[in-house]
Amino acid sequence: MVWNVYFEIAALMISVVLMLSDLWKKHLPFRSWNYFAWLLSLQIICCIFDIISCGMAIRPARYSIRIHYLINIIYYISYIMEIWSFAIFTIAMTGKSKSIRRTTWFVIALPYLVSFISVLITPFTHMFFYIDSEGVYHRGWAYYYTWLTFLAFYILLPLAYAWFYKVHMAPYRMMYTIGFWALSLTGMLLQGFIFTDVLLEGIFNTAAILIIYLNIQNPSQFTDADTGLYNQWALGEVIDEKLEYGDPIDISVIGIENFPVLESIYGRRKLMRVLHSIADEITEQVKGVNLFYMHRGRFALLFNKNTNHKQIEHAIRRRFEMPWGEEDGKVTFKIHITHLDEDVPKMSIREIFDSLEEGLRNAEMKDNEVTEIISAQRIEEIRDGIKVEHAVSKAIRERRIRVAFQPIYSTKKERIISVEALARLVDDELGIIEPDVFIPIAEKNGTIGFIGSQVFEQVCSFIRERDMEDLGVRFIEVNLSPIQCKSGELVSDLFNLMDRYEIDPRQINFEITESAMTDGKILNEMMNKIIQRGSTFSLDDYGTGYSNLVELLDLPFKIVKIDKSLVWSYFNGTSDVLPDIIKTFSIRGYEIVAEGVETHNMAEKLRDMGCDYLQGFYFSKALPADQLVSYVYNNRRLRIMEEMRL
């Protein structure tokens, strides 16, 4: 039988070009990249021996039967190994091959081993094929059964595995995985059942490999265009695989000081040329390291096993003492280095990147030539912060942010006349999470607006469901974060909630900290819009920021709340400015709230200084809504009983 080999020759030529291109480009230390190189090699071997065997079939009598068997056995073994490599490559792309137990691997490999052995013994059994006395090739008695079982197993298994772990694969990878298996299967079916005299499997397999190369293994998506190095995405992929397989991670980050300023001075184009030369020199001179360009003048060095990072860091420091660039435009950089040792336990990419970012900031603040070492304790703290962040996101998603109300005492009326609404978070795993912990995290990741919205809605619900006049509560104080104050939709969102719950805006007093005053004009406009509806504003936590007093006086605050740190520093004798601060604001018509009141003596002295309101544990901690109502009524009853005794 004579086969048409033109498609197979084309497949061989394309595969060789892909191999040369793959060898020329840099490789990331991915297991899947190693599998791909092996897969491409097997495809070339398959094409070569398929073409040779077909050429021998034209004049079979010229060659001995042993040669016929040898060439065909090599072809079938390489083809079996290629399909096996396809399957392993697919499993490796999920990043979850580490989770497969040894017994499961044995089951996965069993059809491959059976087929491999069957091909080797086929000269005696004629299972796959046989060569007659004239040297003519014939398919064996078990060819279709064995081949279809083998192919079905190694096509369905990796696809099922990829589908099961699809959440761990990028959507485009899943799509291309299905695509290259569909192409490969199409080639098998066409050659096996329709065009039996045309070699189509090779060209279809090559097309499938081309899909992998261009869309999955393509190094350009992992490469930084300016420096030619692999980028932060590539670094994340490498670290993710190392974490999955339990491989050691020994990494340093080099940061160029004041990089944005240098960009504005020298221009981005020139600076990027210099960075490219830095990348080339470090790559050429430093061995045992994978170099990545992260962003904003930061390089990551991922050290191979048994590489001395201290020597490399020292050499890089010495090199950066000299200028970089061409003679007509040399640039000198000051660098800082942080290092995360392989012995420090690591659990996620996020904690690694966060710790490196923080380590570099610390190195810049210390401003010395000592590498900032990231400790296991700091990694644990960052890990705890990530857990809190997840808990916050979960609570927001499930609307589990709760509100507690802390009473505020009027020194003139001698009773509770307002309360402050405070966010509270209880997580199923972490338990009670203090506001001092989760509020800064929510402000950092931008979820504080969602927390503020849920808190304000619960405040509106509280006001609608209770008789505020009977409680004797004039208004409820609600905190607005600096992030919320920058939102152009804040005013409409607040008004919509007040309208929905049909509450009087005069029953709301909003609190804003000094840190929200970065743009006084925008803040002033926002405050005046809300004041026009009847609500008022307090300056919260005065004394913790660095605002100019003139700027404060320009904003329409009604109340100034003095932070507990100022109150405590006065009563423990470390500062005596508190009376002057109270006097300064009082003579300008502001009402004064002192926070952090914990004793009767503090309450008496603060009242004598001129504070209008007092807030702190001396009166009450923050209480859930029902407990607050009971507290207010009990407080009123006790006061009436005291008046009756008098």
Side-chain angles (χ1 to χ4, degrees):
M1 183 176 182
V2 178
W3 282 273
N4 184 332
V5 298
Y6 293 115
F7 288 106
E8 197 75 0
I9 293 172
L12 176 61
M13 294 175 64
I14 295 171
S15 298
V16 169
V17 171
L18 287 178
M19 174 63 80
L20 293 174
S21 176
D22 189 60
L23 291 173
W24 178 74
K25 292 181 178 179
K26 294 181 294 184
H27 278 216
L28 281 168
F30 291 152
R31 282 171 170 80
S32 61
W33 285 44
N34 296 330
Y35 294 145
F36 176 76
W38 174 245
L39 177 63
L40 194 53
S41 301
L42 289 171
Q43 172 63 10
I44 292 173
I45 294 171
C46 277
C47 289
I48 290 173
F49 282 92
D50 203 10
I51 293 169
I52 292 173
S53 64
C54 290
M56 292 171 60
I58 297 174
R59 293 183 175 84
R62 286 187 175 185
Y63 309 96
S64 68
I65 293 177
R66 288 185 178 180
I67 294 296
H68 279 288
Y69 270 116
L70 177 63
I71 297 300
N72 280 279
I73 285 173
I74 293 174
Y75 164 72
Y76 275 111
I77 286 178
S78 60
Y79 191 76
I80 288 170
M81 293 176 70
E82 183 179 1
I83 298 300
W84 163 257
S85 298
F86 259 129
I88 299 304
F89 175 80
T90 303
I91 293 173
M93 280 198 302
T94 66
K96 291 295 178 181
S97 56
K98 179 73 173 180
S99 62
I100 301 177
R101 292 178 295 183
R102 289 185 179 181
T103 53
T104 307
W105 271 120
F106 177 76
V107 173
I108 293 173
L110 189 59
Y112 164 74
L113 295 173
V114 170
S115 300
F116 190 93
I117 294 171
S118 299
V119 170
L120 289 177
I121 64 174
T122 202
F124 310 102
T125 62
H126 296 176
M127 284 182 62
F128 265 89
F129 66 92
Y130 66 92
I131 308 297
D132 63 21
S133 58
E134 296 180 357
V136 178
Y137 170 91
H138 300 276
R139 287 173 178 169
W141 56 271
Y143 176 86
Y144 287 105
Y145 303 112
T146 308
W147 206 233
L148 288 175
T149 302
F150 173 82
L151 293 176
F153 184 84
Y154 284 116
I155 291 175
L156 295 177
L157 173 72
L159 284 177
Y161 196 85
W163 183 260
F164 184 78
Y165 286 111
K166 61 181 181 295
V167 295
H168 300 280
M169 296 177 67
Y172 76 93
R173 285 194 173 188
M174 189 66 199
M175 181 179 67
Y176 291 127
T177 298
I178 295 173
F180 76 67
W181 276 111
L183 272 173
S184 183
L185 181 60
T186 301
M188 297 173 195
L189 294 175
L190 288 176
Q191 181 175 323
F193 298 99
I194 301 176
F195 304 105
T196 56
D197 60 341
V198 181
L199 300 184
L200 293 173
E201 287 181 358
I203 194 67
F204 275 86
N205 284 347
T206 300
I209 291 173
L210 189 60
I211 286 178
I212 300 172
Y213 182 79
L214 294 177
N215 299 287
I216 299 177
Q217 297 300 123
N218 186 2
S220 62
Q221 64 184 326
F222 296 111
T223 304
D224 178 72
D226 294 316
T227 62
L229 296 175
Y230 284 119
N231 55 28
Q232 185 165 329
W233 184 16
L235 177 61
E237 292 280 322
V238 174
I239 290 175
D240 189 41
E241 184 172 281
K242 286 181 176 293
L243 289 170
E244 176 65 27
Y245 287 92
D247 295 337
I249 300 172
D250 196 22
I251 185 171
S252 291
V253 171
I254 303 168
I256 296 175
E257 187 176 289
N258 295 325
F259 187 78
V261 176
L262 294 173
E263 266 191 318
S264 63
I265 294 173
Y266 295 104
R268 176 174 174 78
R269 181 176 296 180
K270 178 180 178 179
L271 207 56
M272 289 302 107
R273 286 202 306 268
V274 175
L275 288 186
H276 200 294
S277 66
I278 292 173
D280 289 343
E281 185 168 330
I282 294 178
T283 302
E284 182 180 348
Q285 299 295 328
V286 179
K287 306 303 178 184
V289 172
N290 290 298
L291 186 64
F292 301 80
Y293 182 70
M294 299 178 73
H295 56 90
R296 296 182 299 172
R298 296 180 179 182
F299 296 89
L301 290 81
L302 192 61
F303 299 97
N304 297 338
K305 194 173 182 179
N306 299 323
T307 302
N308 191 323
H309 73 87
K310 292 182 179 179
Q311 290 182 355
I312 292 174
E313 290 167 2
H314 178 76
I316 290 174
R317 283 188 188 277
R318 298 288 76 81
R319 176 59 186 89
F320 268 91
E321 291 175 355
M322 298 179 285
W324 297 86
E326 301 172 357
E327 290 297 331
D328 59 341
K330 287 187 175 293
V331 182
T332 301
F333 298 111
K334 184 175 183 179
I335 64 168
H336 302 282
I337 302 177
T338 186
H339 180 75
L340 181 59
D341 196 75
E342 63 181 355
D343 296 330
V344 176
K346 311 168 188 73
M347 293 179 63
S348 70
I349 298 175
R350 169 73 183 282
E351 68 186 38
I352 291 173
F353 279 0
D354 283 359
S355 64
L356 291 170
E357 182 77 22
E358 183 182 274
L360 208 54
R361 284 199 305 269
N362 292 339
E364 290 173 356
M365 286 189 293
K366 292 178 181 178
D367 195 23
N368 54 34
E369 291 195 359
V370 178
T371 297
E372 180 72 15
I373 304 298
I374 300 167
S375 66
Q377 179 183 354
R378 187 59 199 129
I379 282 283
E380 188 65 34
E381 291 170 355
I382 290 172
R383 188 174 300 144
D384 290 342
I386 294 172
K387 289 180 181 178
V388 172
E389 185 174 341
H390 290 163
V392 171
S393 299
K394 180 182 177 183
I396 291 172
R397 188 170 58 252
E398 298 176 357
R399 300 190 66 82
R400 292 174 55 189
I401 300 294
R402 294 293 174 259
V403 176
F405 300 89
Q406 186 169 32
I408 298 175
Y409 179 82
S410 169
T411 57
K412 293 183 175 62
K413 296 184 179 295
E414 297 184 342
R415 65 178 179 85
I416 303 300
I417 59 99
S418 66
V419 295
E420 180 180 359
L422 300 168
R424 291 293 182 262
L425 174 57
V426 180
D427 183 68
D428 295 336
E429 180 183 348
L430 303 179
I432 298 174
I433 304 175
E434 296 297 329
D436 290 346
V437 174
F438 75 82
I439 293 296
I441 290 175
E443 288 179 334
K444 183 179 179 181
N445 66 17
T447 57
I448 189 66
F450 297 104
I451 293 177
S453 178
Q454 291 188 24
V455 168
F456 188 57
E457 185 168 1
Q458 291 180 58
V459 168
C460 292
S461 176
F462 177 89
I463 293 173
R464 186 179 67 176
E465 294 172 0
R466 290 167 178 83
D467 188 339
M468 300 293 286
E469 186 175 348
D470 183 59
L471 277 175
V473 175
R474 285 169 40 202
F475 55 82
I476 296 179
E477 301 196 356
V478 178
N479 290 278
L480 296 178
S481 74
I483 303 297
Q484 285 179 282
C485 293
K486 294 177 182 178
S487 171
E489 299 177 354
L490 174 64
V491 175
S492 60
D493 290 344
L494 296 176
F495 288 171
N496 288 338
L497 280 172
M498 285 191 279
D499 292 341
R500 187 196 309 170
Y501 285 88
E502 299 177 340
I503 67 168
D504 185 347
R506 291 175 297 180
Q507 294 175 307
I508 301 292
N509 178 74
F510 293 104
E511 296 186 0
I512 298 176
T513 61
E514 293 175 80
S515 56
M517 298 169 56
T518 53
D519 193 326
K521 183 179 179 181
I522 294 176
L523 184 62
N524 201 338
E525 291 177 359
M526 181 271 290
M527 292 174 68
N528 281 314
K529 287 179 182 178
I530 294 176
I531 289 171
Q532 288 173 7
R533 286 285 297 264
S535 297
T536 53
F537 280 89
S538 294
L539 174 62
D540 193 22
D541 297 337
Y542 178 79
T544 58
Y546 302 95
S547 299
N548 188 298
L549 183 59
V550 176
E551 294 176 348
L552 295 178
L553 297 176
D554 285 340
L555 294 170
F557 290 111
K558 180 181 179 182
I559 301 170
V560 174
K561 300 186 72 174
I562 300 175
D563 188 70
K564 62 185 178 183
S565 61
L566 277 178
V567 175
W568 290 352
S569 64
Y570 174 79
F571 282 96
N572 63 28
T574 58
S575 173
D576 59 358
V577 299
L578 182 61
D580 293 332
I581 291 174
I582 294 172
K583 183 178 179 181
T584 298
F585 284 110
S586 293
I587 62 177
R588 286 170 172 79
Y590 293 96
E591 297 177 4
I592 309 298
V593 179
E595 298 177 320
V597 182
E598 296 189 342
T599 66
H600 178 75
N601 178 55
M602 291 174 70
E604 290 293 317
K605 288 190 175 182
L606 288 166
R607 182 193 62 188
D608 294 341
M609 288 182 200
C611 287
D612 301 284
Y613 309 105
L614 305 176
Q615 180 179 356
F617 282 6
Y618 173 67
F619 299 98
S620 174
K621 64 179 182 179
L623 302 169
D626 293 339
Q627 292 182 29
L628 171 73
V629 173
S630 299
Y631 171 83
V632 171
Y633 284 137
N634 288 336
N635 185 270
R636 182 191 301 175
R637 186 173 65 252
L638 291 172
R639 186 168 57 85
I640 292 173
M641 291 175 64
E642 288 180 3
E643 290 176 353
M644 290 176 63
R645 282 198 296 268
L646 294 175

